[in-house]
Amino acid sequence: MKEVRCRTFSHWSHQKVLSRTQMISAGFFYCNFGDRVICLYCNLICQQWTPHTDDPEEVHQTLSSLCPYVLFILKTRQISTASIINDSSNNRTLKSNRLRFNEIVQASAFHRAYVEISKRQSSFNSWPQEDLPSVDDLVRAGFFYTGSKTIVICFYCNGSLQNWGSKDNPLIEHVRWFPLCPYVKQLCDDELYRKIQESKRIHQERVEINQIERNGNFSNDHRMKNSQLMIPDENTLSRFVAARLDLPISQSLLNRNFKLSVIKRCWEDQLRLKQNDFATDCDLLIACIILQKQIDHINGRQENIICTEYQDENDS
Ligand SMILES: [Zn+2]
Ligand SMILES: [Zn+2]
């Protein structure tokens, strides 16, 4: 949850006024609009922050003292400053939110026909076998065989890999190239996950050094996922958005009574602003909740938005 909150601040352009670290720590999500932020637990919406003087945590506590985040995270943090307290509070609101995310993860496998292990297993009937990882390991790591060359695909994230070496470990390669896949993430413990990411970072640094040495000859690794989308015009944007509305995650949000216009707007904002897909399904869900809450709570009435500047003038 905290990671998702951090990612909403990826395009926060008010770093000089107030740091995103402060905002994140105070429990806020960024709305991608001016300096407007929102707390999803108490629906407090704040904007027009005063440079250098406003303390987001203080503002949150003062304006919304009964907010679960304020009570269970901010207050607890004040009592025991020595230990790090993250979002794993036992508060009911937080807990039920987390359950909802898990449900969405279950419902949004990219290739639902291959959710069952036995289905993935039988896809490997024509697997070439020699000098390749074992079928068992591939299946356990979430892959099914496409029937072509050595190309396998993850039933969950749709990530595909090929050109296997006999010593490759499918689980490790899955994490290495598709670190955001929730399926593979839950297969390995935090320690292993961290190690794989670390080794990938070192490997990438080496690749970059090699590229510089080869005098700017940027040959892309065939396995590399291209993360930035090219969106030259609005036409391309709407094609991209339309394709994403067909994704299982968009459909499952529709089934959860999010309006199509809300889901569509979230995709548009994300692609236009960040030229990139949502890092996880959870990020899209949160984006929809943030937008929906702004619609519900602002409802065209400016007085529902708290401008901290205005508050300060009143105080003094
Ligand atoms: Zn709050
Ligand atoms: Zn995957």
Side-chain angles (χ1 to χ4, degrees):
M1 190 62 171
K2 177 135 187 226
E3 285 166 31
V4 178
R5 198 160 73 235
C6 294
R7 281 197 288 269
T8 66
F9 281 92
S10 67
H11 285 59
W12 174 254
S13 56
H14 309 275
Q15 192 67 6
K16 288 210 182 76
V17 179
L18 271 174
S19 82
R20 53 172 74 85
T21 323
Q22 273 181 291
M23 288 295 185
I24 292 162
S25 162
F28 289 117
F29 292 76
Y30 182 38
C31 299
N32 285 329
F33 179 83
D35 62 354
R36 183 187 296 171
V37 297
I38 184 172
C39 168
L40 294 187
Y41 303 111
C42 65
N43 302 325
L44 176 68
I45 299 173
C46 296
Q47 64 182 15
Q48 293 174 17
W49 296 85
T50 317
H52 315 299
T53 47
D54 281 334
D55 174 358
E57 286 190 13
E58 207 180 288
V59 169
H60 198 171
Q61 288 184 42
T62 316
L63 297 175
S64 186
S65 57
L66 295 178
C67 165
Y69 189 91
V70 168
L71 288 175
F72 292 91
I73 307 288
L74 294 184
K75 296 276 190 211
T76 337
R77 199 187 283 157
Q78 283 164 358
I79 295 164
S80 58
T81 43
S83 63
I84 298 163
I85 291 150
N86 51 24
D87 287 13
S88 56
S89 144
N90 280 329
N91 173 266
R92 190 172 292 164
T93 323
L94 299 180
K95 227 177 186 173
S96 72
N97 273 342
R98 198 166 308 132
L99 283 177
R100 287 188 57 196
F101 301 143
N102 286 341
E103 272 171 46
I104 282 214
V105 165
Q106 288 304 320
S108 58
F110 204 95
H111 299 277
R112 297 182 90 166
Y114 291 101
V115 171
E116 279 172 47
I117 287 184
S118 61
K119 295 276 165 56
R120 297 206 291 279
Q121 196 105 40
S122 48
S123 73
F124 281 93
N125 285 341
S126 56
W127 181 244
Q129 301 281 358
E130 75 272 6
D131 289 334
L132 292 169
S134 81
V135 169
D136 272 353
D137 287 348
L138 286 159
V139 166
R140 227 175 295 131
F143 294 114
F144 64 89
Y145 182 39
T146 60
S148 164
K149 296 176 195 162
T150 60
I151 303 171
V152 299
I153 293 178
C154 166
F155 80 95
Y156 192 86
C157 69
N158 194 35
S160 75
L161 291 175
Q162 60 173 331
N163 295 354
W164 294 90
S166 57
K167 293 210 177 84
D168 285 343
N169 177 326
L171 178 67
I172 291 179
E173 295 305 315
H174 195 167
V175 179
R176 198 197 306 272
W177 299 105
F178 306 101
L180 298 175
C181 171
Y183 175 77
V184 76
K185 215 169 167 178
Q186 50 97 29
L187 282 183
C188 53
D189 60 46
D190 291 349
E191 179 62 13
L192 177 64
Y193 187 81
R194 202 189 51 72
K195 271 189 190 151
I196 296 171
Q197 293 311 308
E198 177 65 13
S199 79
K200 181 184 173 185
R201 195 183 56 74
I202 294 167
H203 172 79
Q204 271 177 345
E205 276 169 12
R206 246 183 252 142
V207 169
E208 275 160 26
I209 290 167
N210 284 343
Q211 279 174 344
I212 293 164
E213 282 171 355
R214 268 182 280 141
N215 218 357
N217 179 13
F218 293 102
S219 66
N220 270 337
D221 192 307
H222 67 281
R223 282 169 173 180
M224 276 295 224
K225 253 186 94 191
N226 193 5
S227 56
Q228 286 261 317
L229 294 163
M230 294 290 288
I231 307 175
D233 51 42
E234 287 294 300
N235 251 342
T236 317
L237 180 77
S238 53
R239 265 196 305 114
F240 278 150
V241 170
R244 278 151 184 80
L245 288 175
D246 284 336
L247 291 177
I249 174 64
S250 300
Q251 293 301 317
S252 83
L253 288 170
L254 266 182
N255 295 337
R256 276 161 191 276
N257 293 326
F258 282 101
K259 285 207 186 97
L260 180 63
S261 59
V262 168
I263 306 170
K264 190 166 169 238
R265 173 71 189 276
C266 286
W267 276 115
E268 284 169 355
D269 287 353
Q270 171 75 14
L271 296 183
R272 193 178 281 131
L273 186 70
K274 311 193 178 180
Q275 280 95 44
N276 210 337
D277 283 301
F278 285 101
T280 68
D281 291 349
C282 195
D283 291 64
L284 171 60
L285 170 64
I286 292 293
C288 287
I289 295 174
I290 292 173
L291 183 57
Q292 188 61 52
K293 293 209 171 199
Q294 288 179 81
I295 295 167
D296 293 347
H297 294 274
I298 297 173
N299 204 10
R301 290 180 313 185
Q302 279 298 316
E303 68 264 27
N304 285 344
I305 309 178
I306 290 159
C307 303
T308 59
E309 206 166 27
Y310 176 73
Q311 290 280 323
D312 283 355
E313 278 164 18
N314 264 5
D315 290 346
S316 53

